[in-house]
Amino acid sequence: MQPLDFTGGRVFTDRGRFYTESLCPGKRIYGERLTATSGTEYREWDPRRSKLSAYLHCGGKEFPFRKDGKVLYLGASSGTTASHVADVCPDGRVFCVEFAQRMFRDLVGTCGTRPNMMPILGDATRPQEYSMFVESVDVVYQDVAQKRQADIVCDNMDAFGAEFGMVAVKARSEDVTASPESIFAAAEERIRERGFRITDARSIEPYEKSHEMIAFRRARA
Ligand SMILES: C[S@@+](CC[C@H](N)C(=O)[O-])C[C@H]1O[C@@H](n2cnc3c(N)ncnc32)[C@H](O)[C@@H]1O
């Protein structure tokens, strides 16, 4: 099991698979494979179930999640990816926002396995409505699969003072008639207009069709 340097040693690799060190040994969140080495348990991070893992498998090197990082995760669903982010940030906090009641119930169960995961029933388009539950954060990660994804992530970065952003843009959620390339270009342009600098943008196919991960940070004057 080898740590990946560009993740600050927080993500591990072995024979082409990626892993996080489990904060809750013995417990699976989504049926993932568990493996123990020298008394430490690792959870396989499946790129077919997690767009952030897909990004890493596609060669992505932007990874702003630190051991003590505070992360606002928008569109947490049942907490599959968010649980890996929580493993990566054991001394930090992951605020998980989800607006679908059904998914939120499962998310509450997932958050119960990790003391640094906090479930928030809220709408990512209205950050003011959950601002009382969220501190300032280092990173906003967004995977809401709906329209206006670029503005939603930027609004939350401004609301919570984040330095880093990542957004998994789903072309079909923005406009089924336009080409994915034009949708990705428009999302990148909007992020720049909002005062951020894009540090990476790449397709996450073949793991997710017509999706692009965009990583960015606040531009310095
Ligand atoms: C593609 S799924 C997220 C999968 C999850 N990020 C993962 O990797 O485990 C998108 C989720 O975003 C949620 N969602 C969509 N629009 C939202 C909004 N405005 N606010 C909060 N959640 C939203 C959906 O209910 C759904 O659970």
Side-chain angles (χ1 to χ4, degrees):
M1 195 67 72
Q2 293 297 320
L4 291 168
D5 284 345
F6 67 88
T7 68
R10 306 302 307 151
V11 179
F12 301 82
T13 185
D14 183 40
R15 284 169 284 180
R17 299 172 191 267
F18 289 168
Y19 297 84
T20 59
E21 185 178 331
S22 180
L23 269 188
C24 186
K27 179 121 179 87
R28 291 182 175 81
I29 301 295
Y30 58 103
E32 70 276 24
R33 184 212 304 237
L34 306 178
T35 178
T37 309
S38 309
T40 301
E41 187 173 284
Y42 299 88
R43 302 164 59 222
E44 186 177 352
W45 198 355
D46 186 344
R48 298 195 181 276
R49 300 289 300 277
S50 167
K51 297 178 192 103
L52 186 51
S53 176
Y55 169 74
L56 298 176
H57 277 268
C58 288
K61 294 279 187 292
E62 290 296 323
F63 198 78
F65 309 97
R66 298 290 162 249
K67 195 173 181 200
D68 61 353
K70 291 194 194 125
V71 180
L72 176 60
Y73 191 120
L74 305 171
S77 190
S78 58
T80 298
T81 300
S83 67
H84 285 285
V85 174
D87 284 351
V88 164
C89 306
D91 301 333
R93 217 113 206 253
V94 186
F95 300 95
C96 304
V97 176
E98 172 56 51
F99 77 171
Q101 295 271 1
R102 168 74 186 82
M103 301 322 299
F104 185 73
R105 276 202 298 277
D106 293 347
L107 176 64
V108 169
T110 302
C111 291
T113 67
R114 284 163 171 75
N116 58 341
M117 278 181 91
M118 180 193 263
I120 297 171
L121 183 61
D123 180 344
T125 65
R126 301 172 185 272
Q128 66 283 359
E129 291 184 2
Y130 46 86
S131 60
M132 66 292 269
F133 305 119
V134 181
E135 309 154 21
S136 62
V137 298
D138 306 299
V139 186
V140 177
Y141 179 88
Q142 195 251 69
D143 178 20
V144 295
Q146 66 159 83
K147 284 187 190 300
R148 296 184 55 253
Q149 281 193 252
D151 275 307
I152 293 170
V153 67
C154 293
D155 288 347
N156 278 270
M157 290 185 69
D158 288 344
F160 300 104
E163 176 74 21
F164 301 99
M166 289 185 91
V167 54
V169 178
K170 180 176 182 179
R172 292 185 66 81
S173 295
E174 296 280 351
D175 181 350
V176 283
T177 63
S179 73
E181 291 70 28
S182 66
I183 288 167
F184 300 147
E188 291 170 29
E189 181 56 26
R190 185 65 185 139
I191 288 169
R192 286 192 202 94
E193 281 171 6
R194 293 286 305 257
F196 298 94
R197 177 166 64 82
I198 292 175
T199 52
D200 193 22
R202 66 180 62 225
S203 161
I204 55 171
E205 290 199 32
Y207 301 106
E208 292 284 350
K209 193 169 160 28
S210 302
H211 278 71
E212 180 178 84
M213 185 70 80
I214 306 176
F216 53 102
R217 61 181 301 166
R218 213 164 271 288
R220 293 278 165 245

